[in-house]
Amino acid sequence: MKTPLHIGIVVVTVATLSAHPLCAQVPEAAATVTRLVATPSTIALAAGDSTSFVVTAFDANGRVVDVPVRMSAPRRALRVRNGRVHGLEAGSYEIIAMIVLPAGSFDDAATVRIPVTVDWPSIDRVELLPGPGRIYRGTTMLQGARALHANGSERPHPQVVWSSSDHSVAVVDRFGYVTGTTVGRVTISATVDGVSARRTLDVVPLPAAELEIVGGLAEVRTGDVQRFRAIARDEAGRVFEDAPVTWSHTYVPPADIIAPKAAAQLHEGRFVADVPGAYTVVASAGPLHARTSFRVVPRDAVQQLEVIGQGRQQRVRTTDFWVFEGVDGRDYALTGAKQADGHAYVWDVTDPGNIFKTDSLRVDARSVNDVKVSPDARYATMTREGASNRRNGVVILDLADPAHPKVASMYDEGLTGGVHNAFPTNDHVFALSAGDKYVILDVRDIYAPKYVSEYNHPDSRVHDVWVHDGVAYSAEWGTGVVVVDVGNGRWGGTIDNPVFVTSYPLPTGATHAVFPYVQESSGRLYLFVGDEIMNRRGLAMEGPGGLYRQPYDPTTGEGGVPVSTQGYVQVVDFTDPEKPAMVARYEVSEYGTHNIWVENDVLYQAYYEGGLRVVDVSGELMGNLYTQGREIAVYKPYDPIGFVPNSPMVWSAMPHKGHVFFSDTNSGLWSVKLKPKQRPVM
């Protein structure tokens, strides 16, 4: 089987898997390791099953060395944890085990590759998913099917063979569309790997005599969603409710546009156009047809963007940031950093054209990945990774003097692994622990944080969490989005007793960031969910790949190579968290997304090499926002003396007081401003 494309890599640091605990810090003994041995050397298992394996480190004399080993595997296909591998998706893969070397070591790390073959279990049963309503003569209705394994897991994308017991009554195509040809009874069968399910249908006369389309406007912009409804009536004019309707559309482009025929999307009466032109929507129910035509004009969303200022960072990799008004009335930003010996930085951004540092803070860490400020600007959180004693935890900063914050407290109980992200409210902090769970702290007294509760979703890895209206939305890689009541109360949850609400898987299996947003123009709760895939495998423009890049070293000729990413933002309607629905996406090909901010119906998207993207997300959302002319502005920050010169790598973006601030891994903190849209003088 081929390895699936577009799969992310999960990196888990564990001890040598021979029952030795993880050392408090990387020992010097790691430099003595000459080889790794995996037992077994190859692994075969079925999807849904798991098996154990051991990786042992040896020195040149054949002695076992107790050192940490980093495991990496395709995140969507394998889950590696605590000496076990769990198969998720059929295919041929590798687990790569590599020694974690001491800081400052330039030796090649001992590595072993473990081939893993995952097969699908046998199909146990097939379930039919009937379409809505009845089958009428001359009409078509889609039937669905699920194929399940004996352990209850579902076969993704099963190859279903459809058949009809009597073609004179109804026919079914290879996609499950059943068309009634004459009145009578027929059995429709769905078969997967020799296992079948059947359903008997009655094809009845169609009582409708006419069909009408209602709804929609005569003229809309690209990206605007039109909602149409087909009304069927019998000969007496009575409305006939359950007539199965098939929708289609045609398109005539303007004379100056060369565009594809499929320039729009139409789904169950909802229509959105990517390209201007004249469109006709057609509804069909058996022999009945209705049509309506309208014009789509350009969205005209583009605005000019002006660069205002830059707080340059060229010796460290800038990570997350937060901009805020301090208690002294001035504006500040905190920035984290990688490869900075545990430093974070404080900037005065009151004048966005004159950004300057006011202070720095240093903690015991390899990286300060995430910084955030409470809504009342009373305190800030800093997350730590790579502490020398591995007790990373979260650092609470007192912002009484925002230009010169001081450490109020550090909390590491239950947070001893890397703390990648945190989410502060005025009274509580949600801190991620080693990518496994989030711990909730009471920080009403920032000098004495107290443990409140925690949530750990089973068999899942968490990367990000945001809280809105007492509901926590967490991004959990292959699991997708996990929703937990942490005080809303609708599902019985409190801050002391979090209650699981639902989970929602995303198609890429690389769910990295999440941002809940109540849309001003409609009141819908949209969840903007971002991927993170640190490679471009399978794309023609694959790029060099790799996660950690260094500045160019003129002595060795190494470094100075930009990172390659892919992935996109998925938009899920979570207005009713119990009935979420994927409605749209924002996908810029050949680049990968990172952190998200939405405000005033505008998306401020950090798109790594794709730069800062500013997108109109007003109105109902459907389809790919990128192709609909919804982009307001794009800026790629090129800096000739950056950490990696002239290599945009935007990490986060955030609007503040009429400006847009963003952090770029290779060049620091930036401020830009959208210019007012110029209207033609009539």
Side-chain angles (χ1 to χ4, degrees):
M1 297 182 181
K2 292 184 178 180
T3 301
L5 303 178
H6 314 314
I7 50 179
I9 297 294
V10 59
V11 178
V12 183
T13 302
V14 299
T16 306
L17 297 177
S18 53
H20 297 301
L22 180 62
C23 301
Q25 59 190 50
V26 178
E28 294 299 326
T32 70
V33 174
T34 58
R35 63 190 177 98
L36 296 178
V37 175
T39 307
S41 59
T42 63
I43 296 173
L45 71 165
D49 292 343
S50 65
T51 188
S52 61
F53 69 105
V54 173
V55 175
T56 308
F58 295 92
D59 65 15
N61 296 315
R63 292 188 294 258
V64 174
V65 184
D66 185 8
V67 290
V69 176
R70 177 175 288 126
M71 303 285 177
S72 65
R75 181 184 295 122
R76 189 170 183 175
L78 303 174
R79 182 184 298 123
V80 179
R81 190 182 302 176
N82 300 326
R84 296 190 68 83
V85 55
H86 187 91
L88 303 176
E89 185 170 294
S92 297
Y93 312 101
E94 280 187 333
I95 298 172
I96 301 175
M98 179 182 296
I99 287 294
V100 179
L101 292 173
S105 175
F106 296 98
D107 295 332
D108 292 333
T111 302
V112 64
R113 295 174 179 267
I114 309 165
V116 180
T117 301
V118 181
D119 291 320
W120 290 121
S122 299
I123 297 298
D124 179 68
R125 67 189 187 278
V126 175
E127 295 180 355
L128 286 176
L129 306 173
R134 306 175 71 182
I135 297 288
Y136 295 92
R137 183 174 57 192
T139 66
T140 299
M141 183 180 292
L142 177 64
Q143 309 291 300
R146 300 172 66 220
L148 302 172
H149 308 128
N151 61 8
S153 62
E154 184 173 350
R155 175 75 61 88
H157 313 297
Q159 299 297 311
V160 182
V161 178
W162 293 92
S163 61
S164 166
S165 64
D166 189 343
H167 286 198
S168 67
V169 176
V171 294
V172 57
D173 69 11
R174 61 195 183 103
F175 301 108
Y177 285 96
V178 178
T179 301
T181 53
T182 190
V183 173
R185 175 163 290 189
V186 66
T187 298
I188 301 299
S189 300
T191 302
V192 180
D193 291 354
V195 180
S196 299
R198 297 172 178 82
R199 183 187 181 209
T200 298
L201 301 173
D202 289 316
V203 179
V204 297
L206 178 67
E210 62 177 356
L211 196 64
E212 176 188 11
I213 294 178
V214 297
L217 300 173
E219 183 173 291
V220 293
R221 302 170 300 170
T222 55
D224 287 345
V225 177
Q226 295 261 63
R227 282 184 173 263
F228 299 104
R229 189 162 61 96
I231 298 177
R233 294 183 175 87
D234 61 19
E235 292 183 350
R238 293 185 296 264
V239 174
F240 172 49
E241 295 292 348
D242 67 343
V245 174
T246 301
W247 294 91
S248 61
H249 74 273
T250 61
Y251 163 67
V252 178
D256 59 343
I257 291 181
I258 300 175
K261 284 294 183 183
Q265 294 186 47
L266 179 61
H267 179 66
E268 295 181 350
R270 292 189 305 128
F271 171 94
V272 65
D274 291 0
V275 180
Y279 290 83
T280 298
V281 166
V282 180
S284 302
L288 306 178
H289 304 279
R291 64 188 65 231
T292 184
S293 298
F294 52 94
R295 184 170 301 280
V296 176
V297 298
R299 193 169 190 87
D300 192 24
V302 173
Q303 292 179 234
Q304 294 298 308
L305 185 148
E306 179 183 4
V307 177
I308 303 299
Q310 180 188 1
R312 175 175 280 136
Q313 291 275 53
Q314 62 193 85
R315 292 184 171 85
V316 301
R317 298 179 67 224
T318 301
T319 56
D320 216 340
F321 85 103
W322 200 272
V323 62
F324 64 102
E325 181 180 318
V327 294
D328 61 359
R330 295 184 66 81
D331 296 320
Y332 298 92
L334 298 177
T335 59
K338 290 181 180 290
Q339 296 170 254
D341 294 325
H343 279 91
Y345 302 92
V346 189
W347 308 78
D348 189 310
V349 298
T350 307
D351 176 2
N354 181 30
I355 299 173
F356 60 91
K357 288 179 186 173
T358 63
D359 210 340
S360 64
L361 301 106
R362 188 181 184 188
V363 293
D364 178 10
R366 181 182 66 250
S367 298
V368 175
N369 198 68
D370 178 65
V371 290
K372 289 189 177 73
V373 176
S374 62
D376 59 9
R378 182 172 60 95
Y379 74 94
T381 56
M382 293 169 47
T383 63
R384 298 192 298 161
E385 294 180 288
S388 63
N389 63 359
R390 290 197 54 80
R391 297 190 67 85
N392 288 281
V394 64
V395 180
I396 309 296
L397 301 180
D398 187 339
L399 296 182
D401 181 358
H404 305 282
K406 64 179 181 179
V407 174
S409 57
M410 297 186 185
Y411 190 95
D412 60 20
E413 192 66 33
L415 297 172
T416 54
V419 179
H420 197 70
N421 277 313
F423 184 87
T425 68
N426 284 339
D427 296 333
H428 297 92
V429 170
F430 293 69
L432 273 59
S433 176
D436 190 50
K437 62 183 179 180
Y438 53 82
V439 173
I440 305 174
L441 307 177
D442 183 331
V443 290
R444 285 174 287 187
D445 180 355
I446 60 175
Y447 286 84
K450 297 178 182 178
Y451 174 90
V452 177
S453 61
E454 62 185 57
Y455 183 79
N456 187 347
H457 197 70
D459 297 319
S460 187
R461 303 291 295 174
V462 61
H463 180 271
D464 188 30
V465 62
W466 282 73
V467 181
H468 170 76
D469 193 24
V471 178
Y473 300 88
S474 54
E476 306 217 3
W477 298 118
T479 306
V481 175
V482 174
V483 183
V484 177
D485 185 343
V486 292
N488 177 280
R490 174 178 168 184
W491 299 272
T494 66
I495 198 73
D496 302 289
N497 181 36
V499 173
F500 172 73
V501 177
T502 190
S503 61
Y504 189 84
L506 280 300
T508 61
T511 302
H512 163 272
V514 60
F515 194 99
Y517 175 69
V518 177
Q519 190 186 56
E520 290 192 359
S521 56
S522 69
R524 292 185 182 90
L525 174 61
Y526 281 128
L527 211 60
F528 291 79
V529 185
D531 300 326
E532 185 181 55
I533 304 173
M534 303 305 295
N535 62 73
R536 281 199 286 266
R537 293 191 190 99
L539 299 183
M541 185 182 173
E542 184 170 295
L547 179 57
Y548 299 108
R549 293 299 176 187
Q550 303 292 336
Y552 178 72
D553 185 337
T555 303
T556 64
E558 297 179 348
V561 180
V563 175
S564 297
T565 65
Q566 62 174 307
Y568 58 96
V569 173
Q570 293 127 122
V571 186
V572 186
D573 189 332
F574 255 90
T575 305
D576 182 353
E578 295 180 356
K579 297 179 180 178
M582 176 78 72
V583 293
R585 71 186 191 279
Y586 175 60
E587 181 178 6
V588 182
S589 62
E590 296 181 346
Y591 301 121
T593 63
H594 202 241
N595 290 342
I596 303 163
W597 194 279
V598 189
E599 189 172 297
N600 297 325
D601 288 1
V602 176
L603 166 65
Y604 300 90
Q605 180 61 54
Y607 222 111
Y608 273 154
E609 313 104 292
L612 166 71
R613 326 286 296 206
V614 185
V615 186
D616 173 5
V617 291
S618 63
E620 186 173 356
L621 303 180
M622 179 180 175
N624 185 1
L625 310 182
Y626 172 70
T627 58
Q628 296 170 4
R630 283 181 172 268
E631 287 193 316
I632 296 170
V634 175
Y635 182 73
K636 297 184 181 182
Y638 291 93
D639 188 338
I641 57 173
F643 186 86
V644 176
N646 291 324
S647 177
M649 195 68 178
V650 177
W651 184 285
S652 290
M654 186 176 176
H656 183 72
K657 294 186 178 180
H659 291 79
V660 182
F661 292 84
F662 66 89
S663 59
D664 180 82
T665 292
N666 291 322
S667 56
L669 179 66
W670 294 71
S671 67
V672 298
K673 186 178 179 66
L674 289 171
K675 294 183 178 181
K677 199 169 185 64
Q678 299 296 316
R679 299 296 179 186
V681 178
M682 304 301 291

